[in-house]
């Protein structure tokens, strides 16, 4: 079966760095996506990785290792507004997104 | 630009009744999707459409139907609602090129009693 695993909840301090991990087992791989979802709102696109390595976009970076079925999202200089759920999703061989349950990130002052 | 709109924002529905959730996008995207999101679970694909005039079944299609008469609209119908269909429903679209990220509507919160 297809499976995306990520921690249910994480807590971090304002100004710090946090890494959210995602492991996956899917039928085929056509890219890995990270989305941010604030409570009561729609998911919004953060990053995309299709090749191994690190993609940096401002305070957010995303890493992919296809051989290990592993990705992480790195958030630097955390701000209170970063409190949200972070969703990992893999595009499978049918070009459909398989979603993890999301990691709720709590930022404390 | 509105992006994707969904209606209604929320609804309480009696079991056995039918309902259509509306979704409209103004980005001229070819592909559209319907997901449900339940606590502790990832987004689950209900139905999708790769282009106007075609539809396909996702992971959890039972009890739902869709149509795609034109590029902009992708309504989701529950023919006879059951309590297990209580969920938040998101419509999304993508242009099918490049990164092909999906853009989401604001969601419809449906409660079936």
């Amino acid at each position: 079966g297809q499976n995306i695993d990520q921690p249910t909840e994480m807590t971090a301090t304002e100004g710090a760095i946090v890494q959210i991990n995602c492991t996956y087992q899917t039928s085929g791989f056509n890219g890995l996506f990270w989305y941010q979802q604030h409570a009561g709102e729609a998911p919004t696109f953060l990053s995309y990785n299709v090749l191994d390595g690190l993609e940096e976009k401002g305070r957010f970076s995303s890493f992919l290792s296809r051989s290990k079925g592993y990705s992480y999202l790195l958030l630097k200089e955390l701000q209170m507004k970063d409190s949200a759920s972070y969703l990992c999703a893999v595009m499978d061989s049918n070009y459909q997104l398989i979603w993890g349950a999301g990691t709720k990130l709590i930022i404390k002052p | 630009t509105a992006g994707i709109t969904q209606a209604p924002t929320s609804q309480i529905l009696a079991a056995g009744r039918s309902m259509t959730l509306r979704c409209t996008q103004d980005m001229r995207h070819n592909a559209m999707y319907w997901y449900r999101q339940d606590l502790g679970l990832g987004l689950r694909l209900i139905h999708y459409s790769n282009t106007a005039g075609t539809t396909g079944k996702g992971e959890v299609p039972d009890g739902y139907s869709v149509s795609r008469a034109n590029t902009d609209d992708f309504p989701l119908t529950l023919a006879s609602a059951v309590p297990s269909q209580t969920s938040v429903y998101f419509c999304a679209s993508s242009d099918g090129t490049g990164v092909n990220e999906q853009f989401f509507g604001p969601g419809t919160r449906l409660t079936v009693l």
Side-chain angles (χ1 to χ4, degrees):
Chain A
Q2 306 200 94
N3 196 50
I4 310 284
D5 286 318
Q6 48 182 135
T8 302
E9 186 174 295
M10 299 182 69
T11 302
T13 304
E14 189 178 16
I17 299 172
V18 70
Q19 177 176 312
I20 302 174
N21 296 325
C22 171
T23 58
Y24 62 90
Q25 288 180 306
T26 57
S27 58
F29 179 85
N30 284 297
L32 186 143
F33 295 77
W34 284 95
Y35 279 75
Q36 180 189 60
Q37 185 177 25
H38 285 101
E41 298 183 6
T44 56
F45 171 74
L46 282 179
S47 69
Y48 170 75
N49 295 70
V50 67
L51 300 176
D52 289 353
L54 189 68
E55 294 284 340
E56 297 185 83
K57 191 185 292 185
R59 293 189 299 115
F60 292 7
S61 303
S62 56
F63 172 83
L64 174 67
S65 169
R66 288 173 297 172
S67 62
K68 295 182 179 178
Y70 168 70
S71 172
Y72 67 73
L73 180 69
L74 191 72
L75 290 74
K76 304 175 185 176
E77 302 169 13
L78 285 170
Q79 302 175 9
M80 297 304 293
K81 67 178 182 180
D82 297 329
S83 292
S85 288
Y86 291 85
L87 314 181
C88 175
V90 173
M91 185 167 284
D92 69 8
S93 56
N94 294 318
Y95 293 91
Q96 301 296 349
L97 283 179
I98 309 301
W99 296 83
T103 299
K104 182 177 181 180
L105 178 62
I106 299 168
I107 310 295
K108 295 186 175 180
Chain B
T1 301
I4 300 183
T5 58
Q6 292 185 236
T9 302
S10 64
Q11 182 75 43
I12 299 174
L13 188 67
R17 301 295 294 266
S18 66
M19 176 165 187
T20 295
L21 280 61
R22 299 184 298 279
C23 174
T24 300
Q25 54 108 354
D26 64 2
M27 297 177 283
R28 307 304 293 172
H29 284 172
N30 284 321
M32 297 187 74
Y33 314 85
W34 273 106
Y35 292 95
R36 59 178 291 171
Q37 187 174 41
D38 302 291
L39 198 63
L41 299 177
L43 289 160
R44 291 183 291 169
L45 183 65
I46 304 170
H47 285 286
Y48 65 93
S49 169
N50 288 329
T51 190
T54 69
T55 63
K57 294 182 179 180
E59 179 186 355
V60 288
D62 293 344
Y64 306 95
S65 63
V66 292
S67 61
R68 186 88 184 277
N70 57 61
T71 298
D72 299 344
D73 301 300
F74 191 42
L76 177 73
T77 297
L78 289 68
S80 179
V82 296
S84 62
Q85 291 178 310
T86 293
S87 188
V88 180
Y89 291 86
F90 286 104
C91 179
S93 72
S94 63
D95 66 6
T97 63
V99 171
N100 197 27
E101 73 267 33
Q102 294 183 10
F103 296 83
F104 285 79
T108 294
R109 183 174 295 275
L110 179 66
T111 302
V112 182
L113 300 176

